[in-house]
Each structure stands twice: as C-alpha cells, then as structure tokens.
Amino acid sequence: MKNKLILLAVIVFAIFIAGCEYDNYTAPTSFLSGNVVYNGKAVGVRSNGTQLELWQYTWDTKGKIARAKIAVYIAQDGSYSARLFDGDYKIVRLTGAPWSNPNTDTLAVTVSGNTTYDVPVTPFYTITGETFTYSGGVITSTCMVNKVGTVAITSLTLYIGITNIVDANNNAQSNVLAAAALTDLTTPKTNTVTLTNVSPTFLASRSYVYARLGVLSAGSSERYYSPWKKIMLQ
Amino acid sequence: MKNILKFLIILIPLFFFSRCGDKLLDQPWSTTILLESQVWNDKAMITDLLANLYNRLPVHSQINSGETNYGCYDEGVNTGSQESSTDIANNNLTTYSYSRWTLWDYTYIRDLNQAIESIKKYSSKLTVKEKQQFSAELRFLRAYDYFEMVKRMGGVPIITTQLIYDFSGDPTYLRHARNTEEEVYDFIASELDAIKDSVGNISSGTPSKDRANKYSVLALKCRAMLYAGSIAKYNNLLATPITTPGKEVGLPAARSAGYYQASLNAAKEIINSGIYSLYNKNPNPGENFYEMIVKKAGNPEMIMTTDFLIPTRKHNWSYHEICRTMREDNLSSSAINPDLGLVEAFDYLDGTAGTLKGVGTGSNTAAGQTNWIFYDKPNDIFANKDARLYGTIVYPGTSFKGVDVEMQAGVYEWSASLNRYVRYESETFHSLYTDGKLLTGNGGPMRISQEVSNTGFYIKKFIDPATLSSARGVGTDIWWVRFRYGEILLNAAEAAFELGGANIPDALTYVNMVRQRAGFPANSLYTSTLTLAKLQSERRLELAYEDHRVWDLMRWRISHTVWNGSSATPSANQYALYPYRVIRPGHPNDGKYVFDRFLAPKFKAARFFQMGNYYSAISQSVLDNNPLIVKNPFH
C-alpha cells in the first residue's frame, strides 16, 4: 500500500512537471453561436454534412500564426456554435452547401464573451408552408418550393425517420418527387410515403415517427431541409 | 520505498551488462563512404535502389496492403476481424473524409528525380543503353506516381528536378504552384511516349512482368489517357462541373476525344504486338478465370505484376480473406465479404440481368416467403451465371481447395398452426438441428460472429490454392496485378465506344473477347446492346478486387449518385443472401433450399460520396508552407 502511494506521488509529481510548459493556458470560455439564415429564417441542413470554416488571425504562438481552420459543423436546424478565445475571426461559407457560394465568401466576426452571429446565406431553393398529415398508414406532406437562384431543381424528397435526426442519410423510408413533377412551382407540392413494417424499423407499428422535406438542386449535392415534425401514428 | 530501491539496484547494473557484449559499438566507425560515383556506376546497386522505388509505388486497396478498403465501397462488407479503425470495422462510414484519398507524394518524386539526375551526372562507366534504360525506368515510376496523384488530387506541381535549398535564408524560390490537371495528364503522356522504346527489360522477345518495359509503359498510358478522356467528358456533363478558376482541377471537354484516341492507340499497340492474350488454359470458364490470377507459370495475360517471391515478402491476403470453412490458421479469415450487389451484377449467360430469382425478404413472415423458389441444391440459384462469378467469389453449394464450403444460415421449419415456415438460426459452427441434420454450416453465414461471412459470400480472387498458404507463418506469394490484358481490352473497348462512329466494331470485338472468356457465346454484345452502362458493369465484374472500382466511378462522375448516402438506394447499401434448408416432412419441398435477401447485418451506414470527394483535400501543412497552392473545391 505504501509503495503504491509513493509511486502515485512520483507519477503525480512527474505529471505536474511535464505539464508546466504547454498546458498553462486557460481553456477558452467565450461562446460563438448563431444560425445560418435566409430572410431571417434558419436554413435546415443535413446533420453532420455542412460546415463553416473559422479562422482566427490574431492567435499567435511563439511567433507562428496558427493557420489551421476550425471546422464548425452546422446542426440540422441551421444552428452552429464554437467555444473560442476572444479575438477576431473570419467565417468562410464553403461550397458544397445548399446555398450559392458568394464571391466574397468571408465574413469577419469579433468574439468577445458570448457572441451571437447569424451567417447570411442564399439557398438555391427553399421550402415554405410545409404540413405533414397522417392517415391510414400514409404520411402526406404538402409544401411550397421556392426558387431563389437560377439553377435547376433536381428533386423534392419526403423523409421519414425514427429519430428526430432525419435527412438523406438518416431515414427509414423516403419518397422522391423527381424534377418532372416540379416544373410548376406556383402550386403546393404533395408527397406521400406509405409506411411499411419491415425489419429493423417497423415504421407502421410505431407510435410516432419524424418527417422532414428536403429539396435538391443542380447547384449542390446537399439539400435544403424543412424543420422536422413529429407525427403521432396512434 | 525499500522495494523501489531494490528494484533500482537490480536495474542499473542491467544497463551496464547489456552494453558489455556489444561488439558493434566497440568497433571503430566505418571510414568507408560510398561515393556517388561508385553507387551510380554499379548496376547491382542501382537495381537495388530500383527495387526500393518499385516497392514505394502508392497503394490504395491491394492484396498486401490496404485490404480493408475493399470493404468501404461496393465490393464488400468488413466483418471487423482485420481493421482496428472502428468506423471501417463496423461498416459505419457515414461519409468519406475529404482527405481519404489524399496523396502528396513528393518525397518519392524527389528520390526519383535525384536518381535520374545522378545517373546523368555520375554514371560514366555504364553504357549509353544502360543509362537510358535505368533513367527510362525511373521516369516510368515518376509518371506512374504523377498519375496516382492526379487521379486523387487533380493538378499537382510537376517537379522534374531536385529542389535544392541554397541556405540564403529565403526558401520562397522553391515554392511551385499547382499545374493544371490537363498539364499533368499531358506530362504523363509525353513522358511515357519518350521512354517507350528505351526502357528495355525485354529479353529475347519476352517482356519482364516485374519491371517496366514497352508494354507496361503503354498500359499505363492507356489507363491514364482513358481517365483523362472520361474526366474531360463527364466532369463537364455535371450540372455544375467541378473546376477551379486556375484549372487546377477540371479538364476541357474539347480534349476528351483526343485523350480517348491516345488511350485506344496505346491499347492497340499492345493488342497488335501479339505478345499477350487472354488466359484460356482451362476449359471450365469459372476455374479458368480463377486460375488466370493465381497461375503464374506461362501466364500470357499479365503485363505488369508485383510479385512476393522472397519468403519475407509473402503477404497475408489468404489469411485474412479465405473462406472460413477451409481456414488453416486458428484466427482470421473472412475479413471482407463480397456483397449481394456485386453477385447480382454478374449477368446470366443468356444475357438477362443477373438478379437472383425466388428470393425472400428475410422478415420471417408469411409475406416474406411468397417469392421463394425451392431449390434442390444451394448452388442452383447461381446456375447459368457469368462464369467470372465462380472465379471471383465463393458462394454456397460449391467447394474450394477441395473442401465443401458448407454454407447454410439455418433452417425454415413448416408450422401448420402459423401456416408459414419458421426460421431457426445459430451462431455455432456446424451445429445440428433437432432432426439431426445441419442447422448452420461451417462457413456460416452468421449475423453476429466475426471471422465468418456476414453476407453469404467469400472472396476467391487472389486466394492462394496452395496448402497452408492461409496460415500466418507461411503466407502467400500470389502476385498483385498492376496491368493485365483483360483490362487493356476493356480500356480499348471503352475508348472506342466513346469515340463512336467507325470505332464501334472495335469496341464490340474487344469487349466480346472478354465476355467470351467468361462463358458468354461469341458476339454476345452487339451494336444496339453496347452501352456505357454495360461497359461500366463489365469493368466492375472483370476487375473486381483489382483496385479499379472506386477510381472508375470517380472518373465517370457517378460516385455521388451510385453512393448517394441514402438507405433507400440499393447501390449505396450492401446486402446479404442467406441460404436455409427447408423442413417439411412428407412435402415435396422438404430438404430443399430457400434464400433470403436483406441488408447485411453488419452494414450500418449507406455509402456516401460527396462532391468534395472527387478531388481530395490538400493537407493544411502543405498549404501553410506554400501559399501558391490553391485548395480543391468544397474544402
């Protein structure tokens, strides 16, 4: 027992010594958060799919400027957050997101304490007025699809999931409306999914599922998503 | 405290003892330094160096390295017995990382450049021809490496000399910007043209299979130009072509035909040489296709291979991948299992699509059993399929290395009260059911266990038929195929097809040669049935597990639709096919076999290839050190 204690003391002491030089910074405390917005409304994206780049250009260690980006993934509801040191940062909107990439893709933001900053974007398409109804084993969605830019539409998909993370990669069932059904965007678009009871999800016998709409355009491989909705089946 | 002291007292003298007999350190330092002029005038030493350089060609998925990558696309599922990275082992790769294929191989390029320059400078005692041959071989490796880089990264800086720092305090003159993708492909073509006739390594009409020669140079050119042609064509057919303003990535559409023509010309030069032919020594087309890879003696198909003849160079492909039933080690086997999608891609020999018939859903309900066809033998479901299926994949009802694979997932027993069959499975090898007959076979498939098939199939390609070759202590020396005649024919067929017009008959001739070897009748494809999709499928089948699939899909620009990350897209998911024995005494179906198809139990996340994956990310340290380097799109 004594030996172990001594050994422990030696190890702890060693860790203290070893930790002296590099670990004596306090952890960052400021919180940068916000939404990716279009017309004041958060833009829904795929979970773990779209990211913003953060660059800090005042951070300086031993005369070397840290140039590595801080990748900030956008949550599916369009929100993002990062725990940072106070300072000046640049936010870069990357291509590969469901919005057009502006020529001036870089935004400057100063983080001082907890800071909220909304990142404005221009999606290729948006979804508004979405409704989801359930009746007799069929989930029906209606929505308006709005064209913002000039690129062609590819598809509108209704996703059904068993958790509230619902998107192209996380869903149990889906139905795709192809571009041919989306030529006239002035009328609401209806999309239906007939729930099945196949292993492992057994959708039809659940008490609730989650539904979400996503619109894909030729401009990107990522979709613009509506907010998810919980649908009671029983 | 006392104990620690004792410990130290023992430990410290040990250090002294350990040094005592160390003759190496007692010897005086060697004062002999091999001078550059000695090294570069000694053919044996240059050949030694070449061996090292050949060995350093980039690898992605290869039988001796990167094997688990086969389980990351649509050739198979990882069963977790080999890979330690959890996402790959668990088939839970939700996306491909942008740096998954990153290659910035300038240490290798520098070593090649150094060798090329040194031969020019110091090799005074070699004949002109020898000097030419060595430098041509080095330039072949350099072109090969640039091709490996350009297919992953797009345009990279073309560096053809050593970059030597002058210690002036300002290294900025060593920075080079990226060349355009077009320039890199053109550089590869011109290099290969330049060395084609001086590279040698052909003794009395027989080209070496291990070292570069005229035909491996042509084969590399054929492949590289095909890639360039299809990227030039299909990148520009995307809704938004992937390019950068400086054209570091993206090829002009106008160059496409020229690249295809260059590929076709290179292929024709190999074909018309008459040196190579398709391996056709076994009258059984399935066995023949398997032997084509594993029989080395007098193999007329191989253009360039990497061999593993030295005992210390043997590899463990057989140990990792062999069918569980005939494994010879106490561990491993079945690390990658072919998926049903690949099996069904093999067409029937009458030309109909290869979808297997009479397969249930595996839901263990009456509805899931309505489609069943009751087969007399487990392999009847695979009857009359493309013989390459037999040569590539071990499937139920066959034998391999003289052993019956014994693959059966369980039994379906008739229940009169439920009015349907009820499923029983086991995770015990060679377990028996209550009727005394087989429940679950020695070869699985099993849903949970490791080191056994999870999909109902095993890989056969490249597996060594020799006894004990799947034991770790012995290993296998099956060669890795870099270029073979079958690929050249398919390259030629695709290039000719893309050029169209008067080239279509050539395309048909070449692709039908490959198909006929697979058991199809002569001229099985004709003008109206020859499509790009057909050629794409031919390549997938003929070249399965030869490190082509992922690159082929990328150059056709269809990776993002084939692997779109959706669980609803069959091509993005990996399926299993489980065989069951039917128990229904007194009924005609008793003792027959049925099959269920479902998502492979170990497969978690659909394959998801994003637009940003077409060109891999350049690492941050490269960008930091050289501000002239621009990033690839989406990164």
Side-chain angles (χ1 to χ4, degrees):
Chain A
M1 193 63 206
K2 241 189 204 167
N3 282 342
K4 274 189 190 162
L5 274 177
I6 292 169
L7 202 66
L8 197 71
V10 170
I11 290 171
V12 169
F13 184 66
I15 290 172
F16 273 105
I17 292 180
C20 277
E21 186 141 0
Y22 292 105
D23 291 354
N24 60 355
Y25 295 108
T26 50
T29 52
S30 303
F31 207 56
L32 172 66
S33 61
N35 289 311
V36 174
V37 294
Y38 173 67
N39 283 349
K41 197 178 151 193
V43 172
V45 294
R46 180 172 66 87
S47 176
N48 201 26
T50 308
Q51 55 165 260
L52 296 170
E53 272 181 357
L54 266 182
W55 300 80
Q56 185 177 22
Y57 52 98
T58 53
W59 176 242
D60 192 339
T61 59
K62 295 190 173 173
K64 243 179 124 180
I65 294 166
R67 291 200 198 84
K69 73 174 183 183
I70 305 167
V72 181
Y73 277 92
I74 303 169
Q76 72 166 7
D77 61 0
S79 66
Y80 75 93
S81 59
R83 180 76 72 183
L84 301 167
F85 293 107
D86 284 351
D88 292 329
Y89 290 84
K90 286 178 178 177
I91 294 180
V92 178
R93 289 162 287 181
L94 280 172
T95 51
W99 45 76
S100 54
N101 202 40
N103 286 331
T104 49
D105 59 6
T106 307
L107 304 161
V109 57
T110 303
V111 175
S112 167
N114 288 346
T115 309
T116 306
Y117 184 85
D118 284 345
V119 177
V121 294
T122 312
F124 298 112
Y125 285 84
T126 61
I127 293 170
T128 49
E130 67 279 358
T131 62
F132 300 93
T133 53
Y134 172 74
S135 160
V138 179
I139 290 180
T140 305
S141 71
T142 59
C143 69
M144 292 295 294
V145 177
N146 315 292
K147 189 172 188 169
V148 180
T150 53
V151 297
I153 194 165
T154 308
S155 66
L156 172 70
T157 313
L158 171 59
Y159 296 102
I160 309 296
I162 55 175
T163 69
N164 64 9
I165 304 287
V166 194
D167 53 45
N169 288 27
N170 304 289
N171 66 78
Q173 247 186 291
S174 63
N175 188 52
V176 179
L177 283 190
L182 301 166
T183 46
D184 174 20
L185 295 182
T186 58
T187 56
K189 294 287 166 276
T190 305
N191 199 345
T192 58
V193 165
T194 306
L195 298 183
T196 59
N197 238 352
V198 177
S199 166
T201 54
F202 299 103
L203 278 188
S205 37
R206 284 176 179 270
S207 51
Y208 56 86
V209 294
Y210 296 89
R212 202 177 183 206
L213 284 158
V215 59
L216 182 66
S217 74
S220 168
S221 61
E222 289 292 338
R223 290 168 175 80
Y224 174 103
Y225 290 91
S226 72
W228 55 265
K229 177 116 190 280
K230 185 174 182 177
I231 295 170
M232 302 308 292
L233 304 182
Q234 292 161 12
Chain B
M1 198 60 208
K2 250 185 199 165
N3 280 343
I4 291 176
L5 272 178
K6 267 186 206 161
F7 188 62
L8 280 179
I9 288 165
I10 295 169
L11 201 68
I12 289 167
L14 261 178
F15 281 110
F16 283 97
F17 278 118
S18 69
R19 265 206 83 261
C20 280
D22 204 339
K23 290 274 168 14
L24 192 72
L25 290 178
D26 294 341
Q27 283 172 356
W29 294 103
S30 165
T31 50
T32 320
I33 293 172
L34 285 172
L35 300 171
E36 298 261 26
S37 55
Q38 290 172 298
V39 173
W40 300 106
N41 281 308
D42 184 332
K43 279 199 286 182
M45 274 197 267
I46 301 178
T47 314
D48 260 9
L49 177 84
L50 266 175
N52 169 286
L53 293 169
Y54 271 101
N55 195 34
R56 284 164 60 191
L57 279 172
V59 169
H60 180 57
S61 50
Q62 201 164 299
I63 52 173
N64 60 320
S65 181
E67 302 102 303
T68 50
N69 286 326
Y70 288 116
C72 297
Y73 309 117
D74 57 8
E75 296 187 319
V77 173
N78 275 295
T79 54
S81 58
Q82 183 182 5
E83 174 69 44
S84 50
S85 145
T86 49
D87 277 352
I88 291 178
N90 298 335
N91 302 293
N92 199 19
L93 273 175
T94 49
T95 53
Y96 297 120
S97 147
Y98 285 158
S99 55
R100 178 174 174 77
W101 296 282
T102 295
L103 180 67
W104 202 261
D105 208 10
Y106 282 96
T107 312
Y108 185 51
I109 293 286
R110 186 253 172 205
D111 289 354
L112 289 166
N113 286 336
Q114 186 200 25
I116 292 168
E117 288 181 357
S118 301
I119 285 179
K120 202 181 286 174
K121 197 168 165 191
Y122 298 108
S123 301
S124 52
K125 289 178 191 148
L126 301 185
T127 64
V128 177
K129 215 177 156 198
E130 284 165 348
K131 281 173 77 168
Q132 264 184 354
Q133 191 214 319
F134 281 130
S135 43
E137 245 179 303
L138 292 162
R139 283 166 75 181
F140 168 81
L141 294 172
R142 190 171 64 184
Y144 202 135
D145 195 44
Y146 273 113
F147 172 58
E148 291 294 325
M149 284 206 268
V150 74
K151 80 181 185 188
R152 294 163 164 90
M153 315 301 295
V156 291
I158 300 175
I159 308 294
T160 54
T161 53
Q162 294 181 74
L163 302 181
I164 296 166
Y165 180 44
D166 61 7
F167 293 96
S168 63
D170 176 23
T172 50
Y173 70 99
L174 293 172
R175 289 171 173 161
H176 290 260
R178 296 172 69 184
N179 285 79
T180 64
E181 192 171 5
E182 187 181 8
E183 283 165 348
V184 178
Y185 276 110
D186 291 344
F187 170 75
I188 293 166
S190 71
E191 283 287 290
L192 295 174
D193 286 341
I195 62 171
K196 185 175 74 174
D197 294 311
S198 54
V199 68
N201 287 327
I202 301 181
S203 64
S204 59
T206 311
S208 160
K209 286 187 181 11
D210 311 311
R211 288 175 65 175
N213 57 63
K214 181 178 176 183
Y215 301 100
S216 37
V217 168
L218 285 168
L220 175 59
K221 188 182 175 197
C222 175
R223 189 191 288 173
M225 293 297 99
L226 184 69
Y227 275 56
S230 44
I231 292 169
K233 180 170 180 187
Y234 294 104
N235 189 51
N236 291 301
L237 292 179
L238 288 175
T240 39
I242 307 167
T243 54
T244 49
K247 296 288 172 221
E248 286 85 2
V249 307
L251 292 168
R255 294 291 312 272
S256 153
Y259 285 133
Y260 279 129
Q261 190 64 55
S263 174
L264 182 59
N265 292 349
K268 279 191 170 169
E269 203 170 339
I270 298 173
I271 295 166
N272 295 338
S273 75
I275 292 173
Y276 302 96
S277 63
L278 290 176
Y279 184 96
N280 237 333
K281 297 192 171 177
N282 192 322
N284 175 332
E287 292 288 354
N288 182 63
F289 191 74
Y290 168 66
E291 284 178 10
M292 177 272 294
I293 297 279
V294 300
K295 285 258 160 90
K296 293 183 183 176
N299 190 321
E301 172 132 6
M302 298 304 157
I303 297 173
M304 190 177 181
T305 59
T306 299
D307 221 332
F308 304 93
L309 293 173
I310 300 171
T312 52
R313 288 273 290 152
K314 286 191 173 186
H315 59 89
N316 278 333
W317 173 257
S318 289
Y319 165 69
H320 289 306
E321 313 302 343
I322 195 164
C323 171
R324 168 74 188 216
T325 324
M326 60 257 352
R327 78 175 186 184
E328 294 153 318
D329 204 291
N330 63 330
L331 284 175
S332 196
S333 89
S334 339
I336 312 282
N337 303 150
D339 81 305
L340 181 59
L342 177 59
V343 171
E344 291 198 318
F346 289 92
D347 284 348
Y348 289 100
L349 290 174
D350 61 6
T352 51
T355 317
L356 296 174
K357 298 182 183 86
V359 174
T361 66
S363 66
N364 204 13
T365 59
Q369 303 172 357
T370 51
N371 278 336
W372 275 351
I373 291 177
F374 293 84
Y375 290 97
D376 290 337
K377 295 198 298 295
N379 54 342
D380 283 354
I381 191 171
F382 307 101
N384 297 320
K385 284 203 90 162
D386 187 331
R388 286 172 293 188
L389 171 64
Y390 179 85
T392 308
I393 289 167
V394 175
Y395 53 80
T398 56
S399 58
F400 182 50
K401 291 177 93 163
V403 180
D404 176 16
V405 297
E406 196 183 272
M407 290 172 73
Q408 180 179 309
V411 297
Y412 267 107
E413 187 171 29
W414 178 256
S415 158
S417 57
L418 292 170
N419 200 32
R420 65 173 174 88
Y421 292 92
V422 180
R423 181 173 63 206
Y424 298 95
E425 291 174 352
S426 149
E427 295 280 334
T428 309
F429 293 97
H430 194 77
S431 48
L432 300 182
Y433 191 58
T434 49
D435 64 355
K437 293 182 196 158
L438 191 64
L439 172 61
T440 299
N442 251 331
M446 294 181 189
R447 290 173 194 254
I448 302 162
S449 300
Q450 282 196 348
E451 305 180 345
V452 61
S453 180
N454 195 245
T455 61
F457 303 102
Y458 292 98
I459 296 179
K460 187 188 243 173
K461 215 175 207 180
F462 292 111
I463 302 273
D464 196 335
T467 310
L468 282 178
S469 56
S470 70
R472 271 168 296 179
V474 181
T476 163
D477 61 6
I478 293 297
W479 54 20
W480 169 246
V481 178
R482 290 195 182 276
F483 299 101
R484 65 178 173 92
Y485 194 61
E487 185 211 335
I488 300 301
L489 288 177
L490 289 178
N491 291 354
E494 188 183 333
F497 171 79
E498 294 286 3
L499 289 166
N503 294 299
I504 295 290
D506 277 351
L508 285 167
T509 311
Y510 298 140
V511 71
N512 281 331
M513 280 165 78
V514 174
R515 281 167 65 88
Q516 200 170 346
R517 194 252 303 260
F520 287 92
N523 303 317
S524 55
L525 286 178
Y526 35 92
T527 315
S528 61
T529 52
L530 182 70
T531 59
L532 179 67
K534 202 80 211 161
L535 287 171
Q536 289 173 339
S537 161
E538 260 333 289
R539 270 187 97 82
R540 179 181 186 191
L541 308 177
E542 176 75 21
L543 303 173
Y545 306 112
E546 294 180 41
D547 192 27
H548 284 273
R549 180 70 176 162
V550 61
W551 312 114
D552 279 339
L553 289 189
M554 277 194 211
R555 69 185 172 85
W556 292 319
R557 292 290 187 262
I558 54 173
S559 312
H560 69 288
T561 52
V562 174
W563 300 329
N564 66 359
S566 166
S567 52
T569 307
S571 61
N573 294 276
Q574 313 273 287
Y575 293 88
L577 184 79
Y578 276 28
Y580 297 90
R581 182 168 61 88
V582 172
I583 302 175
R584 193 176 182 182
H587 192 272
N589 287 337
D590 185 46
K592 294 198 174 182
Y593 293 89
V594 292
F595 291 86
D596 278 343
R597 168 198 208 272
F598 42 83
L599 206 62
K602 289 195 176 173
F603 185 74
K604 307 276 170 29
R607 306 296 186 214
F608 188 45
F609 189 101
Q610 302 171 90
M611 298 304 274
N613 287 121
Y614 278 114
Y615 293 103
S616 293
I618 297 169
S619 77
Q620 190 61 42
S621 60
V622 172
L623 296 168
D624 285 351
N625 289 336
N626 184 353
L628 300 177
I629 302 284
V630 295
K631 283 190 187 184
N632 276 331
F634 306 107
H635 302 157

